Amino acid sequence: MLNSPPPGPTRPGFWRSPLRGPWLTSVFGLILLVGITVLFVTGLLSYAAYNPNLAPGNDKTPGKGWLGFYLFSWPTSPYWLYRLTQGIHVTLGVVLIPILLAKLWSVIPKLFTWPPVRSLSHALERLSLLLLVGGALFEFVTGVLNIQLHYIFPGSFYTLHFYGGWVFIGAFVVHVAFRIPTMARVLRSRRWRSVLRTPVARTTPEPPDDTGLVTPHPAPPTMSRRGALGLVGVGSLALLVVTAGQSTGGSLRKTALLAPHGQEPGKGPNGFQINKTAAEVGIRARDIGPDWRLVVRGPGRERVFTRAQVLALPQYVAALPIACVEGWSTDDQDWSGVRLADLAALVGLRQSPPGVFVESAQRGGAFSSTHLRDNQVRDPRSLLALRVNGADLSPDHGYPARIIVPANPGVHNTKWVTHLTFGAAQ
Protein backbone atom coordinates (compact mmCIF):
# COMPACT_ATOMS: atom_id res chain seq x y z
CA MET A 1 0.00 0.00 0.00
CA LEU A 2 2.87 2.35 0.83
CA ASN A 3 4.33 1.78 -2.64
CA SER A 4 1.19 3.19 -4.25
CA PRO A 5 1.17 6.98 -3.87
CA PRO A 6 -2.15 8.64 -3.05
CA PRO A 7 -3.72 11.01 -5.56
CA GLY A 8 -2.13 14.43 -5.69
CA PRO A 9 1.42 15.80 -5.69
CA THR A 10 3.03 12.50 -4.64
CA ARG A 11 2.18 10.92 -8.01
CA PRO A 12 4.99 11.13 -10.59
CA GLY A 13 2.66 12.45 -13.28
CA PHE A 14 1.30 15.29 -11.14
CA TRP A 15 4.19 17.64 -11.99
CA ARG A 16 4.12 17.87 -15.79
CA SER A 17 6.32 20.81 -16.77
CA PRO A 18 8.72 19.68 -19.54
CA LEU A 19 11.28 22.24 -18.33
CA ARG A 20 12.02 20.50 -15.06
CA GLY A 21 15.13 18.43 -15.03
CA PRO A 22 18.69 18.23 -13.71
CA TRP A 23 20.08 20.84 -16.13
CA LEU A 24 17.75 23.72 -15.22
CA THR A 25 18.00 22.84 -11.55
CA SER A 26 21.80 22.81 -11.81
CA VAL A 27 21.86 26.26 -13.41
CA PHE A 28 19.86 27.76 -10.57
CA GLY A 29 21.95 25.76 -8.10
CA LEU A 30 25.22 27.11 -9.49
CA ILE A 31 24.03 30.71 -9.15
CA LEU A 32 22.86 30.07 -5.60
CA LEU A 33 26.12 28.32 -4.74
CA VAL A 34 28.06 31.49 -5.54
CA GLY A 35 25.45 33.93 -4.22
CA ILE A 36 24.78 32.18 -0.91
CA THR A 37 28.50 31.84 -0.24
CA VAL A 38 28.89 35.61 -0.63
CA LEU A 39 25.79 36.15 1.54
CA PHE A 40 27.16 33.98 4.31
CA VAL A 41 30.59 35.63 4.31
CA THR A 42 29.15 39.17 4.34
CA GLY A 43 26.72 38.09 7.07
CA LEU A 44 29.64 36.94 9.23
CA LEU A 45 31.39 40.26 8.58
CA SER A 46 28.24 42.12 9.60
CA TYR A 47 28.25 40.29 12.92
CA ALA A 48 31.98 40.96 13.43
CA ALA A 49 31.39 44.69 12.86
CA TYR A 50 29.39 44.81 16.09
CA ASN A 51 32.53 43.77 17.99
CA PRO A 52 30.56 41.18 20.00
CA ASN A 53 33.65 39.93 21.83
CA LEU A 54 34.21 43.41 23.23
CA ALA A 55 31.47 43.42 25.86
CA PRO A 56 28.12 41.74 26.65
CA GLY A 57 26.25 44.87 25.54
CA ASN A 58 27.64 44.50 22.03
CA ASP A 59 26.84 40.80 21.79
CA LYS A 60 23.34 40.26 20.44
CA THR A 61 23.82 36.48 20.25
CA PRO A 62 24.82 35.34 23.75
CA GLY A 63 25.86 31.73 24.04
CA LYS A 64 27.29 31.60 20.52
CA GLY A 65 30.25 29.55 21.77
CA TRP A 66 32.55 28.29 19.06
CA LEU A 67 30.33 29.80 16.35
CA GLY A 68 32.20 33.02 16.99
CA PHE A 69 35.59 31.44 16.26
CA TYR A 70 36.34 33.82 13.40
CA LEU A 71 35.66 37.13 15.16
CA PHE A 72 38.29 39.83 14.88
CA SER A 73 38.74 43.48 15.80
CA TRP A 74 36.69 45.44 13.29
CA PRO A 75 38.84 48.06 11.51
CA THR A 76 38.04 51.71 10.87
CA SER A 77 39.62 51.77 7.41
CA PRO A 78 38.47 51.96 4.76
CA TYR A 79 35.79 54.15 6.27
CA TRP A 80 33.16 52.78 3.84
CA LEU A 81 33.86 49.12 4.70
CA TYR A 82 30.62 48.39 6.57
CA ARG A 83 28.62 50.32 4.01
CA LEU A 84 30.06 48.05 1.30
CA THR A 85 29.77 44.68 3.05
CA GLN A 86 26.28 45.24 4.42
CA GLY A 87 25.08 46.81 1.18
CA ILE A 88 26.24 43.71 -0.71
CA HIS A 89 24.65 41.42 1.87
CA VAL A 90 21.22 43.02 1.73
CA THR A 91 21.11 43.81 -1.98
CA LEU A 92 22.35 40.38 -3.03
CA GLY A 93 19.90 38.71 -0.65
CA VAL A 94 16.99 40.51 -2.30
CA VAL A 95 18.29 39.85 -5.83
CA LEU A 96 18.57 36.11 -5.14
CA ILE A 97 14.90 35.74 -4.17
CA PRO A 98 13.61 34.95 -7.71
CA ILE A 99 16.46 32.47 -8.20
CA LEU A 100 15.71 30.76 -4.90
CA LEU A 101 12.01 30.50 -5.77
CA ALA A 102 12.89 29.16 -9.23
CA LYS A 103 15.19 26.54 -7.70
CA LEU A 104 12.45 25.45 -5.30
CA TRP A 105 10.00 25.25 -8.21
CA SER A 106 12.43 23.10 -10.17
CA VAL A 107 12.85 20.55 -7.36
CA ILE A 108 9.34 20.56 -5.92
CA PRO A 109 8.65 16.96 -7.06
CA LYS A 110 11.46 15.83 -4.74
CA LEU A 111 9.61 17.31 -1.79
CA PHE A 112 6.69 14.95 -2.43
CA THR A 113 8.52 11.66 -3.04
CA TRP A 114 6.63 8.51 -2.04
CA PRO A 115 6.96 6.78 0.31
CA PRO A 116 8.16 9.72 2.43
CA VAL A 117 10.80 7.57 4.15
CA ARG A 118 12.29 4.44 2.59
CA SER A 119 15.22 3.78 4.91
CA LEU A 120 17.36 5.33 7.62
CA SER A 121 19.67 6.91 5.06
CA HIS A 122 16.67 8.23 3.13
CA ALA A 123 15.26 9.67 6.38
CA LEU A 124 18.53 11.51 7.03
CA GLU A 125 18.49 12.85 3.48
CA ARG A 126 14.92 14.08 3.95
CA LEU A 127 15.89 15.74 7.23
CA SER A 128 18.79 17.54 5.58
CA LEU A 129 16.41 18.67 2.83
CA LEU A 130 14.01 20.03 5.45
CA LEU A 131 16.82 21.98 7.11
CA LEU A 132 18.02 23.23 3.74
CA VAL A 133 14.67 24.43 2.40
CA GLY A 134 13.33 25.56 5.77
CA GLY A 135 16.57 27.32 6.63
CA ALA A 136 16.68 29.14 3.30
CA LEU A 137 13.09 30.35 3.61
CA PHE A 138 13.62 31.38 7.23
CA GLU A 139 16.76 33.39 6.47
CA PHE A 140 15.31 35.14 3.43
CA VAL A 141 11.97 35.93 5.10
CA THR A 142 13.50 37.29 8.32
CA GLY A 143 16.04 39.25 6.28
CA VAL A 144 13.37 40.92 4.16
CA LEU A 145 11.26 41.74 7.23
CA ASN A 146 14.29 43.33 8.88
CA ILE A 147 15.05 45.39 5.78
CA GLN A 148 11.52 46.76 5.95
CA LEU A 149 11.85 47.48 9.69
CA HIS A 150 9.04 45.01 10.50
CA TYR A 151 10.27 43.64 13.81
CA ILE A 152 7.61 40.96 14.28
CA PHE A 153 9.98 38.17 15.30
CA PRO A 154 9.41 36.06 18.44
CA GLY A 155 12.78 37.28 19.69
CA SER A 156 15.80 39.27 18.60
CA PHE A 157 16.37 39.42 14.85
CA TYR A 158 20.12 39.21 15.40
CA THR A 159 19.91 35.99 17.42
CA LEU A 160 17.39 34.33 15.11
CA HIS A 161 19.18 35.30 11.91
CA PHE A 162 22.61 34.33 13.27
CA TYR A 163 21.70 30.85 14.49
CA GLY A 164 19.35 30.30 11.56
CA GLY A 165 22.22 31.14 9.22
CA TRP A 166 24.49 28.54 10.79
CA VAL A 167 21.80 25.84 10.64
CA PHE A 168 21.12 26.66 7.00
CA ILE A 169 24.77 26.81 5.94
CA GLY A 170 25.44 23.44 7.59
CA ALA A 171 22.66 21.83 5.53
CA PHE A 172 23.80 23.77 2.47
CA VAL A 173 27.40 22.51 2.72
CA VAL A 174 26.23 18.90 3.09
CA HIS A 175 23.87 19.28 0.13
CA VAL A 176 26.56 20.83 -2.07
CA ALA A 177 29.11 18.16 -1.13
CA PHE A 178 26.78 15.42 -2.34
CA ARG A 179 25.34 17.24 -5.36
CA ILE A 180 28.22 19.15 -6.90
CA PRO A 181 29.63 16.20 -8.90
CA THR A 182 26.20 15.63 -10.44
CA MET A 183 25.75 19.36 -11.05
CA ALA A 184 29.11 19.62 -12.83
CA ARG A 185 28.33 16.60 -15.01
CA VAL A 186 24.86 17.84 -15.90
CA LEU A 187 26.00 21.36 -16.78
CA ARG A 188 28.57 19.91 -19.18
CA SER A 189 25.92 17.78 -20.84
CA ARG A 190 24.31 20.73 -22.66
CA ARG A 191 25.82 23.68 -24.44
CA TRP A 192 24.55 27.03 -23.25
CA ARG A 193 24.45 28.37 -26.79
CA SER A 194 22.15 25.62 -27.99
CA VAL A 195 19.82 26.01 -24.98
CA LEU A 196 19.56 29.76 -25.50
CA ARG A 197 18.76 29.27 -29.18
CA THR A 198 16.01 26.70 -28.61
CA PRO A 199 12.51 28.22 -29.03
CA VAL A 200 9.33 26.99 -27.36
CA ALA A 201 8.33 24.87 -30.34
CA ARG A 202 11.52 22.79 -30.11
CA THR A 203 11.66 22.58 -26.31
CA THR A 204 11.63 18.95 -25.15
CA PRO A 205 11.97 17.27 -21.75
CA GLU A 206 15.37 16.16 -20.56
CA PRO A 207 16.14 12.43 -20.76
CA PRO A 208 14.76 10.46 -17.79
CA ASP A 209 17.25 9.81 -15.02
CA ASP A 210 17.33 8.82 -11.37
CA THR A 211 16.88 12.35 -9.97
CA GLY A 212 13.09 12.16 -10.17
CA LEU A 213 12.90 15.68 -11.60
CA VAL A 214 11.95 14.75 -15.15
CA THR A 215 8.22 14.16 -15.50
CA PRO A 216 7.09 10.89 -17.10
CA HIS A 217 4.01 12.62 -18.55
CA PRO A 218 5.17 15.99 -19.90
CA ALA A 219 2.69 18.66 -20.85
CA PRO A 220 3.17 20.65 -24.06
CA PRO A 221 5.76 23.40 -23.46
CA THR A 222 4.45 26.94 -22.98
CA MET A 223 7.90 28.42 -22.38
CA SER A 224 11.42 27.56 -23.43
CA ARG A 225 14.30 27.13 -21.01
CA ARG A 226 15.64 30.36 -22.45
CA GLY A 227 12.38 32.02 -21.49
CA ALA A 228 12.46 30.57 -17.98
CA LEU A 229 16.01 31.79 -17.41
CA GLY A 230 15.11 35.18 -18.85
CA LEU A 231 12.03 35.50 -16.66
CA VAL A 232 14.02 34.76 -13.51
CA GLY A 233 16.82 37.06 -14.65
CA VAL A 234 14.44 39.95 -15.30
CA GLY A 235 12.91 39.44 -11.86
CA SER A 236 16.32 39.61 -10.20
CA LEU A 237 17.31 42.64 -12.28
CA ALA A 238 14.10 44.44 -11.31
CA LEU A 239 14.76 43.79 -7.63
CA LEU A 240 18.32 45.04 -8.06
CA VAL A 241 17.08 48.29 -9.58
CA VAL A 242 14.55 48.97 -6.79
CA THR A 243 16.92 47.93 -3.97
CA ALA A 244 20.55 48.85 -4.72
CA GLY A 245 20.03 52.61 -4.54
CA GLN A 246 19.55 52.56 -0.76
CA SER A 247 23.17 51.40 -0.42
CA THR A 248 24.89 53.03 -3.38
CA GLY A 249 23.32 56.46 -2.93
CA GLY A 250 23.61 59.20 -5.50
CA SER A 251 21.01 59.38 -8.27
CA LEU A 252 20.14 55.70 -7.76
CA ARG A 253 18.70 56.45 -4.31
CA LYS A 254 15.48 57.61 -5.98
CA THR A 255 15.03 54.16 -7.53
CA ALA A 256 15.17 52.35 -4.18
CA LEU A 257 11.42 51.74 -4.10
CA LEU A 258 11.76 48.77 -1.73
CA ALA A 259 13.70 50.73 0.86
CA PRO A 260 11.69 51.61 3.98
CA HIS A 261 10.00 54.98 3.60
CA GLY A 262 9.18 57.66 6.15
CA GLN A 263 12.73 57.87 7.52
CA GLU A 264 13.73 61.00 5.61
CA PRO A 265 13.52 63.94 8.07
CA GLY A 266 13.17 66.52 5.29
CA LYS A 267 15.62 68.72 3.46
CA GLY A 268 18.53 70.81 4.67
CA PRO A 269 21.73 69.90 6.51
CA ASN A 270 19.95 67.25 8.62
CA GLY A 271 17.85 65.93 5.74
CA PHE A 272 19.26 62.41 5.52
CA GLN A 273 17.91 59.06 6.63
CA ILE A 274 17.35 57.85 10.17
CA ASN A 275 15.89 54.67 11.64
CA LYS A 276 14.10 56.10 14.66
CA THR A 277 13.14 59.58 15.72
CA ALA A 278 13.91 61.06 19.12
CA ALA A 279 10.24 60.75 20.06
CA GLU A 280 10.14 57.06 19.12
CA VAL A 281 12.86 56.18 21.63
CA GLY A 282 11.43 58.34 24.41
CA ILE A 283 13.77 61.33 24.29
CA ARG A 284 12.18 64.20 26.22
CA ALA A 285 12.82 67.89 25.74
CA ARG A 286 14.51 68.14 29.14
CA ASP A 287 16.89 65.27 28.23
CA ILE A 288 18.47 67.37 25.49
CA GLY A 289 17.70 70.89 26.72
CA PRO A 290 19.90 73.50 28.45
CA ASP A 291 20.43 71.20 31.45
CA TRP A 292 22.08 68.51 29.31
CA ARG A 293 25.57 67.60 30.48
CA LEU A 294 28.31 65.41 29.07
CA VAL A 295 30.12 63.34 31.68
CA VAL A 296 33.57 62.10 30.64
CA ARG A 297 35.23 59.55 32.92
CA GLY A 298 38.64 57.92 33.07
CA PRO A 299 40.42 55.90 35.76
CA GLY A 300 39.98 58.02 38.88
CA ARG A 301 38.99 61.17 36.98
CA GLU A 302 35.76 62.78 35.83
CA ARG A 303 34.93 65.92 33.87
CA VAL A 304 31.49 67.41 33.28
CA PHE A 305 30.77 69.69 30.32
CA THR A 306 27.91 71.82 29.08
CA ARG A 307 27.32 71.83 25.34
CA ALA A 308 28.87 75.28 25.09
CA GLN A 309 32.00 73.98 26.81
CA VAL A 310 32.19 71.00 24.41
CA LEU A 311 31.84 73.43 21.50
CA ALA A 312 34.73 75.45 22.92
CA LEU A 313 37.08 72.45 22.62
CA PRO A 314 39.10 72.00 19.40
CA GLN A 315 36.68 70.98 16.65
CA TYR A 316 37.43 68.70 13.71
CA VAL A 317 35.53 67.65 10.60
CA ALA A 318 35.13 64.12 9.21
CA ALA A 319 33.22 63.18 6.05
CA LEU A 320 31.57 59.86 6.90
CA PRO A 321 28.39 57.97 5.95
CA ILE A 322 25.94 56.19 8.22
CA ALA A 323 25.35 52.56 7.26
CA CYS A 324 22.80 50.32 8.94
CA VAL A 325 22.18 46.59 9.17
CA GLU A 326 18.99 47.00 7.14
CA GLY A 327 21.18 47.78 4.12
CA TRP A 328 20.51 51.49 3.76
CA SER A 329 23.26 54.04 4.02
CA THR A 330 23.69 57.76 3.57
CA ASP A 331 26.14 59.59 1.40
CA ASP A 332 29.14 61.07 3.19
CA GLN A 333 28.04 63.78 5.62
CA ASP A 334 30.36 66.46 7.01
CA TRP A 335 30.38 65.90 10.76
CA SER A 336 32.13 68.30 13.12
CA GLY A 337 32.93 67.80 16.78
CA VAL A 338 35.56 66.74 19.27
CA ARG A 339 37.84 63.81 18.65
CA LEU A 340 37.23 60.91 21.00
CA ALA A 341 40.98 60.67 21.58
CA ASP A 342 41.02 64.32 22.74
CA LEU A 343 38.21 63.65 25.20
CA ALA A 344 40.18 60.68 26.56
CA ALA A 345 43.18 62.99 27.03
CA LEU A 346 41.05 65.29 29.17
CA VAL A 347 40.72 62.52 31.77
CA GLY A 348 44.40 61.58 31.78
CA LEU A 349 44.48 59.09 28.89
CA ARG A 350 46.62 60.99 26.42
CA GLN A 351 48.88 58.09 25.40
CA SER A 352 47.23 55.12 23.70
CA PRO A 353 43.65 55.84 24.83
CA PRO A 354 41.60 52.71 25.55
CA GLY A 355 38.12 51.81 24.40
CA VAL A 356 35.10 53.71 25.62
CA PHE A 357 31.68 52.86 26.98
CA VAL A 358 29.08 55.22 25.48
CA GLU A 359 25.74 55.89 27.17
CA SER A 360 22.73 57.69 25.75
CA ALA A 361 19.81 59.66 27.14
CA GLN A 362 17.67 57.04 25.41
CA ARG A 363 15.88 54.98 28.04
CA GLY A 364 15.90 51.29 27.28
CA GLY A 365 16.31 49.55 23.98
CA ALA A 366 19.04 47.31 22.68
CA PHE A 367 21.26 50.17 21.52
CA SER A 368 21.00 52.79 24.25
CA SER A 369 24.68 52.14 24.98
CA THR A 370 27.68 50.59 23.26
CA HIS A 371 31.36 49.79 23.69
CA LEU A 372 33.87 51.06 21.15
CA ARG A 373 37.32 49.53 20.68
CA ASP A 374 40.58 51.33 21.30
CA ASN A 375 41.36 51.42 17.56
CA GLN A 376 38.02 53.19 17.04
CA VAL A 377 38.78 55.77 19.74
CA ARG A 378 42.25 56.44 18.32
CA ASP A 379 41.12 57.04 14.76
CA PRO A 380 41.30 60.83 14.19
CA ARG A 381 37.98 60.67 12.30
CA SER A 382 36.13 59.30 15.35
CA LEU A 383 34.18 62.19 16.81
CA LEU A 384 31.68 63.19 19.40
CA ALA A 385 29.79 65.14 16.76
CA LEU A 386 27.88 68.32 17.61
CA ARG A 387 27.14 69.56 14.10
CA VAL A 388 26.57 68.11 10.65
CA ASN A 389 26.87 69.80 7.26
CA GLY A 390 27.45 73.15 8.93
CA ALA A 391 24.38 73.05 11.20
CA ASP A 392 23.61 71.86 14.71
CA LEU A 393 22.43 68.28 14.89
CA SER A 394 18.67 67.95 14.83
CA PRO A 395 17.05 66.06 17.73
CA ASP A 396 16.41 63.10 15.43
CA HIS A 397 20.09 62.98 14.49
CA GLY A 398 21.24 63.01 18.09
CA TYR A 399 21.33 66.59 19.39
CA PRO A 400 23.11 67.68 21.59
CA ALA A 401 25.90 65.19 20.71
CA ARG A 402 26.36 61.84 19.02
CA ILE A 403 29.09 59.38 18.14
CA ILE A 404 30.36 59.06 14.58
CA VAL A 405 33.06 56.45 13.86
CA PRO A 406 34.33 55.32 10.45
CA ALA A 407 33.15 51.87 9.24
CA ASN A 408 30.91 51.55 12.30
CA PRO A 409 27.39 50.03 12.13
CA GLY A 410 24.84 52.81 12.40
CA VAL A 411 23.35 51.60 15.69
CA HIS A 412 26.77 51.91 17.34
CA ASN A 413 27.04 55.57 16.35
CA THR A 414 25.10 56.32 19.51
CA LYS A 415 22.88 59.41 19.58
CA TRP A 416 21.96 61.73 22.51
CA VAL A 417 25.23 60.89 24.29
CA THR A 418 25.40 61.68 28.02
CA HIS A 419 28.34 59.63 29.35
CA LEU A 420 31.71 58.53 27.98
CA THR A 421 33.65 56.15 30.21
CA PHE A 422 37.13 55.44 28.87
CA GLY A 423 38.74 52.17 29.96
CA ALA A 424 35.44 50.84 31.32
CA ALA A 425 35.38 47.23 32.46
CA GLN A 426 34.33 44.91 29.66
Side-chain angles (χ1 to χ4, degrees):
M1 188 69 177
L2 283 176
N3 292 327
S4 178
T10 58
R11 299 215 169 195
F14 183 85
W15 307 101
R16 301 186 59 200
S17 172
L19 301 185
R20 282 195 185 90
W23 188 86
L24 193 61
T25 295
S26 296
V27 172
F28 294 137
L30 178 62
I31 299 171
L32 289 174
L33 173 60
V34 176
I36 286 175
T37 300
V38 174
L39 275 185
F40 185 65
V41 171
T42 52
L44 293 181
L45 292 176
S46 177
Y47 179 55
Y50 281 71
N51 287 314
N53 278 347
L54 192 60
N58 288 33
D59 189 359
K60 304 307 173 187
T61 57
K64 62 186 177 298
W66 61 268
L67 294 179
F69 71 93
Y70 72 95
L71 294 173
F72 57 95
S73 299
W74 189 251
T76 57
S77 293
Y79 73 91
W80 39 258
L81 179 61
Y82 186 74
R83 184 183 186 189
L84 174 67
T85 60
Q86 194 61 17
I88 290 174
H89 183 75
V90 169
T91 303
L92 181 60
V94 173
V95 167
L96 287 179
I97 290 174
I99 302 166
L100 174 67
L101 294 178
K103 174 71 185 305
L104 294 177
W105 170 86
S106 74
V107 300
I108 197 169
K110 297 286 289 181
L111 304 180
F112 293 93
T113 56
W114 191 267
V117 177
R118 302 190 187 105
S119 63
L120 178 59
S121 61
H122 186 241
L124 293 175
E125 180 187 357
R126 300 286 285 173
L127 177 60
S128 69
L129 190 62
L130 175 65
L131 294 176
L132 179 69
V133 175
L137 293 176
F138 178 83
E139 287 298 287
F140 276 82
V141 169
T142 55
V144 169
L145 288 174
N146 182 66
I147 293 169
Q148 293 300 318
L149 307 178
H150 293 323
Y151 303 115
I152 58 175
F153 319 107
S156 167
F157 163 76
Y158 301 92
T159 304
L160 294 171
H161 207 64
F162 179 80
Y163 289 118
W166 277 108
V167 169
F168 166 67
I169 204 65
F172 182 73
V173 168
V174 171
H175 180 76
V176 168
F178 281 102
R179 299 297 181 186
I180 200 165
T182 301
M183 182 177 71
R185 173 179 55 80
V186 168
L187 289 175
R188 289 195 300 265
S189 68
R190 289 180 176 235
R191 299 180 63 183
W192 273 85
R193 182 177 299 179
S194 63
V195 171
L196 297 179
R197 287 179 175 178
T198 302
V200 177
R202 291 194 286 114
T203 296
T204 58
E206 295 184 44
D209 67 359
D210 58 359
T211 63
L213 299 177
V214 180
T215 177
H217 307 292
T222 57
M223 179 181 291
S224 66
R225 290 181 179 85
R226 174 182 63 190
L229 293 172
L231 180 64
V232 174
V234 168
S236 290
L237 180 61
L239 288 177
L240 174 66
V241 169
V242 298
T243 302
Q246 68 173 337
S247 301
T248 60
S251 59
L252 288 178
R253 191 173 297 278
K254 296 178 181 179
T255 69
L257 302 180
L258 292 188
H261 296 279
Q263 275 69 41
E264 297 285 351
K267 297 182 179 181
N270 282 270
F272 53 94
Q273 191 166 346
I274 58 173
N275 253 2
K276 294 182 179 180
T277 66
E280 286 174 328
V281 297
I283 297 296
R284 301 164 297 186
R286 63 177 178 271
D287 295 327
I288 58 177
D291 293 334
W292 174 87
R293 296 294 183 270
L294 173 69
V295 180
V296 182
R297 297 191 181 107
R301 298 186 66 175
E302 179 177 295
R303 298 280 301 271
V304 180
F305 300 88
T306 65
R307 191 170 189 275
Q309 289 171 328
V310 179
L311 279 167
L313 297 172
Q315 304 286 302
Y316 297 88
V317 176
L320 299 172
I322 295 177
C324 279
V325 70
E326 294 86 3
W328 66 262
S329 60
T330 71
D331 296 327
D332 291 355
Q333 310 295 325
D334 291 328
W335 307 90
S336 61
V338 184
R339 287 174 173 168
L340 294 182
D342 290 349
L343 290 168
L346 294 176
V347 288
L349 298 169
R350 186 173 300 277
Q351 299 297 323
S352 300
V356 63
F357 178 51
V358 184
E359 297 174 85
S360 170
Q362 175 182 339
R363 289 177 300 282
F367 299 103
S368 58
S369 62
T370 191
H371 281 80
L372 300 176
R373 286 190 181 275
D374 54 357
N375 66 306
Q376 294 175 310
V377 171
R378 295 168 190 171
D379 193 298
R381 298 165 295 182
S382 296
L383 304 176
L384 179 72
L386 305 172
R387 296 168 61 83
V388 63
N389 299 322
D392 286 345
L393 295 170
S394 68
D396 290 340
H397 277 297
Y399 180 89
R402 67 169 297 161
I403 295 294
I404 188 71
V405 171
N408 205 30
V411 290
H412 281 188
N413 289 322
T414 307
K415 297 189 283 188
W416 313 292
V417 173
T418 57
H419 292 75
L420 296 172
T421 305
F422 291 92
Q426 300 173 1

